[in-house]
Amino acid sequence: MKVVVFSENNYGCGASIAASRLVKGLTKEHEVLFVYEKNKTKINQFKGININTWQLGETQNRWKNAIYRVFYMIARLTSTNIDRWLLFKIFNKKIKSIQPDIIHFHNTYFTHEQIAALSEKTPVVWTMHDQFAFYIYNYKITKFDGNEKIYCPIQEWRKRFYNPEKLLNNCNANVTFTPPSQWLVDLSEKRNAGRKAIKVVHNGIDTNDFYPLEKHQSRKSISIDAVKFTLLFLAGTGAWERKNSIVIFEALKLIPDLDIQVVAIGSVSKFKFEDSRVIKKGAVYSISALREVYSSADVFCIPSVLDNLPNTVLESLLCGTPVLGAKAGGIPEMIDDGNTGWLFDPYSPRDLADKITMLYNDFENVKNKSETCRSSVIDKFSEGTMVKNYIKVYNEIVR
């Protein structure tokens, strides 16, 4: 099978990480070209892997690069799609030269006409990591304070270039959508109404990348207490309202005497709080450092008010750390409540505080879940399972 996988970024966000993991898995038995537009990281996630990559809109020719920049500036000044027109011409030329069996988008800003044109010659699979393909915004959430917020709504002038209805109504457009969670499948079908194929394909992860480390040594490596009950969470800045870290701080206020430590990875600068139990550790990027972070915790908490199929849950479970997850989006699909983790209401600090207290008092049971956590990912979310499921989708479409 010859596959072109397209991702806006090469790494650095959940969608691009999922794309790179698919590429890594597919490359073992298939011919793959990984296309990306933006180079978001200096970490080489493909080190030691023989993989073809191509950065769309970047060449070794400085004059061509200058032309790309000029087209980009003109597009912004004139509110036109001229830069996407140029990039599509270049991308389409590449597609014609290599003649893949499948074009697999993970995130893209091509127009509905361009996607349809590609799909008429080469079947397109579009893995949705958010609601954009059907709703032209990333997420619509109800924040912790009860107000609604839309993340990354498409600019008004761009709506004439990407219209979901026109893509869905185009009978010649051979596009199959593959949301990673059943939650997003159900949400998409409300708009799709059977016009295009939608198939759930879970994100996968290389089970050799994440595995349990000795807990005391991991805690020593990141300089935290070796004995205390440890709750871990990842605090993001870009989507901090959706990631909902505030509910953790509100829950801690309800259990001021609980002798625990709470490790925050990333930035918590958005929140003003006074609690000596919270230890801020800053951002962590490398897989080896993440293994230590997950392994150091007794429980990983993900309090998002909305998330699709977050990679962090898989990473934590593979490291043998059970997950205290919000009952929102696709998170409940990843957690076997009571066995590999526990679910709570992301709008209720009281519910979260009670769950933390319960886990603190049932510490021995929490510690015994490591093997079950890891097995749950190996059985359902491994890289091999993901690749097998995508190949099945590819073959069905090609036939």
Side-chain angles (χ1 to χ4, degrees):
M1 184 75 69
K2 188 185 292 186
V3 184
V4 170
V5 176
F6 185 102
S7 174
E8 184 197 4
N9 302 323
N10 71 327
Y11 202 74
C13 65
S16 59
I17 290 172
S20 66
R21 286 173 176 169
L22 173 61
V23 170
K24 181 181 173 185
L26 282 172
T27 300
K28 293 176 181 178
E29 295 184 11
H30 303 275
E31 186 178 341
V32 184
L33 174 65
F34 182 43
V35 183
Y36 60 91
E37 289 189 47
K38 300 173 185 175
N39 188 0
K40 284 284 189 179
T41 180
K42 294 180 180 178
I43 299 172
N44 182 4
Q45 70 273 20
F46 298 126
K47 187 176 181 180
I49 302 171
N50 185 20
I51 183 170
N52 294 322
T53 62
W54 177 46
Q55 186 171 359
L56 179 61
E58 289 289 335
T59 73
Q60 299 298 317
N61 187 312
R62 62 179 181 176
W63 299 112
K64 285 186 178 181
N65 287 338
I67 291 171
Y68 297 151
R69 302 293 183 274
V70 169
F71 270 72
Y72 180 83
M73 291 172 61
I74 292 173
R76 296 300 172 271
L77 290 172
T78 60
S79 294
T80 61
N81 213 45
I82 192 169
D83 59 333
R84 305 308 304 174
W85 172 84
L86 176 63
L87 289 176
F88 177 75
K89 295 278 284 186
I90 298 166
F91 181 71
N92 196 31
K93 183 179 179 181
K94 188 79 164 182
I95 293 299
K96 288 179 179 178
S97 70
I98 63 178
Q99 296 185 336
D101 298 299
I102 292 287
I103 300 170
H104 191 151
F105 287 124
H106 273 259
N107 34 20
T108 177
Y109 291 108
F110 286 139
T111 70
H112 58 265
E113 291 179 342
Q114 291 168 343
I115 293 170
L118 285 169
S119 73
E120 288 176 21
K121 295 181 175 63
T122 307
V124 167
V125 172
W126 188 343
T127 293
M128 303 162 54
H129 297 280
D130 52 40
Q131 297 169 238
F132 177 81
F134 287 89
Y135 290 87
I136 60 177
Y137 52 73
N138 290 157
Y139 287 104
K140 183 177 182 180
I141 69 166
T142 300
K143 299 189 294 182
F144 182 77
D145 62 10
N147 294 317
E148 283 194 342
K149 178 174 181 176
I150 293 177
Y151 275 92
C152 303
I154 195 170
Q155 295 161 297
E156 199 62 35
W157 64 272
R158 283 191 180 275
K159 289 182 180 179
R160 66 181 185 271
F161 299 116
Y162 182 73
N163 184 326
E165 288 298 311
K166 290 185 177 180
L167 181 60
L168 295 174
N169 285 330
N170 188 334
C171 297
N172 295 319
N174 186 1
V175 181
T176 298
F177 296 93
T178 55
S181 67
Q182 189 61 45
W183 162 76
L184 191 51
V185 168
D186 295 340
L187 193 64
S188 301
E189 198 54 67
K190 289 180 180 179
R191 283 285 175 91
N192 179 52
R195 287 175 284 181
K196 298 296 180 192
I198 301 181
K199 303 173 184 291
V200 62
V201 180
H202 297 307
N203 291 336
I205 185 170
D206 187 343
T207 55
N208 294 316
D209 283 344
F210 292 90
Y211 46 83
L213 300 175
E214 203 282 318
K215 197 168 294 293
H216 281 196
Q217 183 58 45
S218 297
R219 292 183 178 187
K220 182 179 179 181
S221 296
I222 68 171
S223 303
I224 62 173
D225 191 283
V227 179
K228 282 186 180 180
F229 181 89
T230 304
L231 185 74
L232 167 71
F233 74 100
L234 306 184
T237 52
W240 65 277
E241 289 168 314
R242 182 169 65 84
K243 295 300 183 180
N244 197 37
S245 297
I246 189 171
V247 74
I248 295 178
F249 303 125
E250 293 300 317
L252 290 174
K253 293 177 183 177
L254 302 175
I255 44 175
D257 299 324
L258 206 63
D259 187 22
I260 63 174
Q261 58 186 348
V262 181
V263 178
I265 300 297
S267 173
V268 291
S269 58
K270 295 280 185 183
F271 310 99
K272 295 179 180 179
F273 62 94
E274 296 292 335
D275 195 318
S276 60
R277 294 172 293 179
V278 178
I279 305 168
K280 294 179 282 186
K281 285 296 178 181
V284 174
Y285 297 105
S286 72
I287 289 175
S288 59
L290 283 168
R291 275 197 302 263
E292 286 189 332
V293 167
Y294 288 121
S295 297
S296 70
D298 294 303
V299 175
F300 169 61
C301 182
I302 178 166
S304 306
V305 293
L306 202 58
D307 238 324
N308 184 9
L309 201 86
N311 294 303
T312 53
V313 173
L314 301 182
E315 293 165 0
S316 179
L317 292 173
L318 271 181
C319 290
T321 302
V323 178
L324 180 55
K327 285 185 278 191
I331 295 174
E333 299 173 41
M334 311 174 78
I335 298 170
D336 183 0
D337 197 10
N339 290 315
T340 63
W342 306 267
L343 298 171
F344 70 96
D345 180 354
Y347 299 99
S348 172
R350 180 75 268 168
D351 188 24
L352 178 56
D354 289 345
K355 289 292 194 311
I356 294 172
T357 303
M358 175 195 75
L359 299 176
Y360 176 83
N361 292 328
D362 196 19
F363 191 26
E364 288 303 316
N365 183 37
V366 172
K367 287 193 296 184
N368 292 331
K369 296 200 177 287
S370 178
E371 187 175 334
T372 304
C373 290
R374 184 168 170 80
S375 296
S376 71
V377 179
I378 294 172
D379 292 342
K380 191 175 180 181
F381 299 101
S382 69
E383 176 190 277
T385 299
M386 171 185 61
V387 170
K388 180 181 70 175
N389 289 336
Y390 272 122
I391 292 297
K392 181 180 179 182
V393 172
Y394 298 163
N395 284 330
E396 288 174 357
I397 296 169
V398 170
R399 282 199 298 269

